[in-house]
Amino acid sequence: MNLEIFYEYCLSKKGVTEHFPFDEETLVFKVGGKMFALSSLSQWEKGVPSVNLKCKPEYAEELRVLYDDIKPGWHMSKIHWNTIAINRDVTDILIKELIDHSYELVFKSLTKKAQLEVLAF
């Protein structure tokens, strides 16, 4: 997966916005004002890209057992976030599924009003 595919896939989700709230290199995707994906642009440039994605705790643990390149979320809640190394042992298909999972978790955590605003976006 390259940066363009990752970027376009995240932005293709309903109501998604991009931000740089921490620094000029950490790209953050949000839905309803809440983060669901974070990735360092400098790591993409260095050829070692990764993404932090929200995940159900039990599923996060299962993924960490199955894949060497899925670790507890770096600088995030280790219970609810995973860091996934891109272009390693995790397929692009699974990365997209995990982006979908993260997006859905965050979307479902929004108030009904916020969900309706996202759907109208």
Side-chain angles (χ1 to χ4, degrees):
M1 176 177 294
N2 63 38
L3 178 57
E4 185 177 345
I5 291 170
F6 167 73
Y7 177 85
E8 289 177 3
Y9 190 77
C10 288
L11 274 185
S12 73
K13 313 297 259 163
K14 190 78 173 162
V16 169
T17 56
E18 64 176 291
H19 306 269
F20 288 88
F22 306 114
D23 53 41
E24 294 178 0
E25 75 168 54
T26 307
L27 175 60
V28 175
F29 292 100
K30 295 182 178 184
V31 60
K34 292 187 176 189
M35 298 186 298
F36 75 92
L38 301 86
S39 189
S40 167
L41 296 179
S42 67
Q43 293 303 104
W44 283 92
E45 291 171 4
K46 293 175 186 174
V48 287
S50 65
V51 61
N52 283 6
L53 297 170
K54 193 154 191 170
C55 194
K56 286 184 180 178
E58 58 281 352
Y59 187 39
E61 287 291 331
E62 179 184 326
L63 290 166
R64 294 172 196 165
V65 169
L66 294 173
Y67 297 93
D68 290 336
D69 290 315
I70 298 180
K71 307 280 186 207
W74 189 68
H75 285 297
M76 305 296 282
S77 164
K78 309 296 187 225
I79 296 170
H80 298 281
W81 289 82
N82 278 336
T83 298
I84 299 103
I86 297 174
N87 300 327
R88 305 285 291 277
D89 76 339
V90 182
T91 66
D92 290 359
I93 292 169
L94 180 56
I95 291 170
K96 286 180 178 180
E97 289 173 5
L98 295 174
I99 291 169
D100 294 346
H101 176 70
S102 182
Y103 174 90
E104 288 298 321
L105 282 176
V106 174
F107 179 80
K108 288 178 182 175
S109 76
L110 300 174
T111 63
K112 292 294 179 193
K113 180 181 177 187
Q115 288 179 7
L116 291 173
E117 289 171 1
V118 166
L119 294 174
F121 192 77

